[in-house]
Amino acid sequence: MEHAWKGYEQYAFGQDEIKPRTMRGDNGWGGIGITLVDSLDTLWLMNMTEEFYRARDWCRDKLNHNVNRPVSTFETTIRS
């Protein structure tokens, strides 16, 4: 988890996902930081508290579910 999170944080922090081959972020799920939000509980349970607090702060300051584009209701419900 630490290796995966470092890559996400370095190359795609706040974006929906990281594309590992290009090392670029992508917002294909609506641009709502879905990987970041979905990872919060895992960060906490793995005692990655510094990473958790950075992600929490991003949610507090930048998370916006008010998007005007089609999104997956299923993915948004289970991950965000």
Side-chain angles (χ1 to χ4, degrees), residues 9-80:
E9 195 168 23
Q10 181 176 356
Y11 297 108
F13 193 73
Q15 296 188 35
D16 288 337
E17 59 187 339
I18 185 171
K19 301 288 189 178
R21 292 181 65 200
T22 61
M23 294 190 313
R24 292 181 178 232
D26 183 69
N27 283 321
W29 295 105
I32 55 176
I34 206 150
T35 293
L36 186 146
V37 173
D38 192 32
S39 299
L40 286 169
D41 57 345
T42 302
L43 292 170
W44 185 259
L45 291 171
M46 294 189 70
N47 202 32
M48 296 173 65
T49 53
E50 290 180 23
E51 295 87 345
F52 171 84
Y53 289 127
R54 284 194 296 271
R56 178 208 60 187
D57 291 348
W58 183 91
C59 290
R60 180 193 63 211
D61 299 335
K62 298 184 179 175
L63 181 62
N64 179 11
H65 282 106
N66 188 19
V67 295
N68 189 21
R69 64 180 277 189
V71 297
S72 168
T73 302
F74 175 75
E75 290 295 331
T76 304
T77 300
I78 67 166
R79 297 179 70 191
S80 184

